[in-house]
Amino acid sequence: MSSSAPEPVFEQPWHAQVFAMTVALNEADRFGWAEWASRFADTLKRRGLNRDLDGGDDYFHAWLETLEALLADQGEAAPRDVQSLRDAWEEAYLTTPHGRPVQLRQQ
Amino acid sequence: MPHDDHDHPHALLPPEPALRVKALETILTRKGLIDPAALDEIIDTYQNKIGPQNGARVVARAWSDPGFKAALLQDATTAVADLGYYGRQGEHMVVVENTPEQHNMVVCTLCSCYPWPLLGIPPGWYKSDAYRARAVREPRKVLAEFGVTLPAETAVRVWDSTAEIRYLVLPMRPERTDGLSEDALAALVSRDSMIGTGLPKVPS
């Protein structure tokens, strides 16, 4: 724990993205914030059993895991679809020349 | 802008979780559940517009205007909405006042509930297991690590924020601040002083 030295709001771009997605889905009434907080607390508790979470990167790993599980339970994003799009994005990064915008191939 | 890097013939591969976030975003966008432009707007808001400066305005007003302070302690959500501070994660805010008898400190033991409209997104330490576990168990020790030492006769009360109630600490107005404008007062109010892990700055 340290004091109030300035720090970025989001350390990584994906932290900001997963945060914003969750807020947007909550606002669109896809789930209530109390439900989100309760699921998130469960994930933090489970992940914190083996080691102390530092509140930075590991916090957003827990956040992402919670969102993935919630969307899977709701049937909005099945794990296999997430996996195949994740692979498609990886391929897009690996096959796009450096400096060009990375886009998914047409599917 | 040309940006040639011969070590990276292809675009730099983002870390694993970033790929999974992109996958989710693609699925939800295709289903029309989210709009990427709206996500950018949300990020911009919390990165650039909403932060502890909002809470500092509220504290400075409370120090300057006894009527506002009474309203704030009575019903913080309504009082701060009148100043234009409302929105996500600010549906039910409660302000707790520090006095010589009682120092207040806020934690969220379950996750990281926090009054976003007044303080923005919580700092890393607020979200850490160490703070969440120890704030309740040994608040004076935690305060000492933040450099805050209180008189022995001052009691420490720890408030546990939830998804339903989010707390903000109203710190005591520092001495020798008579006649300061609200702007000057707001500059003394640190984020940590509104979580209770710090004290306001003393004017130099």
Side-chain angles (χ1 to χ4, degrees), chain A residues 16-101:
Chain A
Q17 283 308 120
V18 73
F19 166 83
M21 247 192 297
T22 309
V23 168
L25 289 166
N26 165 241
E27 256 164 30
D29 280 331
R30 292 284 154 184
F31 48 79
W33 200 261
E35 181 190 1
W36 165 260
S38 146
R39 280 173 168 263
F40 185 45
D42 288 345
T43 312
L44 287 173
K45 196 170 171 190
R46 197 171 55 250
R47 292 179 77 114
L49 289 179
N50 300 320
R51 61 195 180 88
D52 259 8
L53 305 180
D54 68 9
D57 205 48
D58 54 16
Y59 174 87
F60 282 103
H61 275 93
W63 187 297
L64 173 58
E65 182 186 313
T66 309
L67 184 62
E68 284 179 336
L70 178 52
L71 291 169
D73 288 353
Q74 292 186 338
E76 297 294 2
R80 66 172 179 281
D81 295 342
V82 176
Q83 184 64 37
S84 84
L85 272 164
R86 176 238 167 265
D87 294 346
W89 273 111
E90 182 179 50
E91 200 209 331
Y93 275 94
L94 295 177
T95 55
T96 303
H98 190 70
R100 298 264 191 81

Side-chain angles (χ1 to χ4, degrees), chain B residues 126-202:
Chain B
Y126 185 84
K127 303 179 289 197
S128 70
D129 280 0
Y131 181 73
R132 289 166 40 224
R134 293 181 51 220
V136 174
R137 211 168 57 222
E138 43 186 20
R140 274 183 195 273
K141 229 170 171 177
V142 171
L143 285 175
E145 286 167 32
F146 277 91
V148 176
T149 313
L150 299 169
E153 62 272 23
T154 303
V156 178
R157 171 131 191 216
V158 181
W159 302 81
D160 197 354
S161 277
T162 65
E164 282 80 38
I165 302 183
R166 289 128 198 287
Y167 297 96
L168 184 92
V169 174
L170 174 59
M172 286 192 286
R173 179 171 176 158
E175 288 173 18
R176 300 192 305 278
T177 54
D178 294 348
L180 287 189
S181 67
E182 272 187 42
D183 282 351
L185 288 171
L188 303 175
V189 184
S190 64
R191 175 192 68 203
D192 290 6
S193 73
M194 295 179 280
I195 304 176
T197 53
L199 299 175
K201 296 175 204 116
V202 177

Side-chain angles (χ1 to χ4, degrees), chain B residues 17-174:
Chain B
L19 289 172
R20 282 160 55 199
V21 169
K22 287 193 83 71
L24 278 185
E25 192 179 336
T26 304
I27 291 172
L28 299 173
T29 304
R30 285 178 179 172
K31 289 191 168 186
L33 296 182
I34 55 170
D35 166 15
L39 300 192
D40 290 346
E41 175 67 38
I42 290 169
I43 293 168
D44 178 54
T45 298
Y46 290 101
Q47 232 154 22
N48 304 313
K49 294 175 188 157
I50 296 187
Q53 70 274 13
N54 294 6
R57 308 286 327 172
V58 171
V59 169
R61 172 68 58 90
W63 284 347
S64 311
D65 176 346
F68 176 78
K69 179 178 157 183
L72 183 69
L73 294 174
Q74 176 88 41
D75 176 1
T77 311
T78 303
V80 304
D82 289 345
L83 296 185
Y85 305 133
Y86 52 86
R88 305 175 185 115
Q89 316 311 319
E91 291 83 1
H92 190 179
M93 293 186 279
V94 170
V95 170
V96 288
E97 183 188 14
N98 283 352
T99 63
E101 292 75 39
Q102 177 170 303
H103 179 87
N104 299 289
M105 189 173 156
V106 181
V107 66
C108 171
T109 56
L110 278 181
C111 48
S112 50
C113 298
Y114 196 68
W116 291 3
L118 298 179
L119 296 181
I121 302 302
W125 58 260
Y126 185 84
K127 303 179 289 197
S128 70
D129 280 0
Y131 181 73
R132 289 166 40 224
R134 293 181 51 220
V136 174
R137 211 168 57 222
E138 43 186 20
R140 274 183 195 273
K141 229 170 171 177
V142 171
L143 285 175
E145 286 167 32
F146 277 91
V148 176
T149 313
L150 299 169
E153 62 272 23
T154 303
V156 178
R157 171 131 191 216
V158 181
W159 302 81
D160 197 354
S161 277
T162 65
E164 282 80 38
I165 302 183
R166 289 128 198 287
Y167 297 96
L168 184 92
V169 174
L170 174 59
M172 286 192 286
R173 179 171 176 158

